[in-house]
Amino acid sequence: MDAFHDGGCACGAVRYRVHGAPEKAAICHCRYCQLRTGSALGVSVYFRDEAVEMLSGELKDYSFRTESGRRFTQRFCPECGTTVLWSLEVFPGLTGIAGGTFDPPTFWYDIRREVYARSRAPFLAPNDAIASFDTSNSHNPVLVEKPSRVGGKGQ
């Protein structure tokens, strides 16, 4: 049997299990993750869709298009509001999981990169052990964002 990790939302209604190692894990400073988490950054851990098993609870979806014109669907607990999972059109076949929703020891995966560092909060120091990128290799703006969603120092 392969390694697995469980997690869930704040109220416990939603529970999930992932099998195996993540495909990627990163810190994201984009405005979408800042708004999704209500914090300075998001911790994004991606698994193949088939490696994510829902154990209990129902999720509600909220979808929108990013400034690159691609769909971003957040999946959250309708009881407590915790965003647990998401899917990005740019990563077909992968499910994103909010890193802080894993059961302790919560941060068991390796973070090797940060994206959208242009929007990094000034109180967060860069980490030399993590590859840092101002945007991401999939960033290709085609839509004009509202000022509240523009990331970076006026960019």
Side-chain angles (χ1 to χ4, degrees), residues 6-39:
D6 291 350
C9 66
C11 74
V14 173
R15 299 291 298 160
Y16 66 83
R17 174 172 289 157
V18 296
H19 298 271
E23 295 294 315
K24 58 174 91 182
I27 295 169
C28 185
H29 303 280
C30 80
R31 284 296 294 153
Y32 307 119
C33 284
Q34 289 171 346
L35 291 167
R36 173 181 61 77
T37 64
S39 184

Side-chain angles (χ1 to χ4, degrees), residues 14-123:
V14 173
R15 299 291 298 160
Y16 66 83
R17 174 172 289 157
V18 296
H19 298 271
E23 295 294 315
K24 58 174 91 182
I27 295 169
C28 185
H29 303 280
C30 80
R31 284 296 294 153
Y32 307 119
C33 284
Q34 289 171 346
L35 291 167
R36 173 181 61 77
T37 64
S39 184
L41 57 91
V43 177
S44 305
V45 187
Y46 291 92
F47 290 84
R48 294 260 165 236
D49 293 343
E50 58 272 11
V52 180
E53 175 186 1
M54 294 305 299
L55 301 174
S56 65
E58 298 294 324
L59 293 167
K60 185 170 179 167
D61 292 357
Y62 171 70
S63 292
F64 62 93
R65 294 229 175 251
T66 67
E67 72 177 337
S68 294
R70 297 184 187 101
R71 182 150 313 279
F72 186 141
T73 301
Q74 300 173 176
R75 306 194 71 210
F76 60 94
C77 174
E79 296 300 316
C80 66
T82 303
T83 297
V84 178
L85 312 172
W86 60 86
S87 61
L88 300 174
E89 187 177 346
V90 72
F91 296 145
L94 295 179
T95 296
I97 298 181
T101 66
F102 284 103
D103 293 347
T106 302
F107 302 101
W108 54 270
Y109 39 82
D110 289 331
I111 299 285
R112 298 185 190 241
R113 64 186 280 141
E114 71 174 342
V115 293
Y116 292 94
R118 72 179 189 184
S119 304
R120 183 191 310 117
F123 57 81

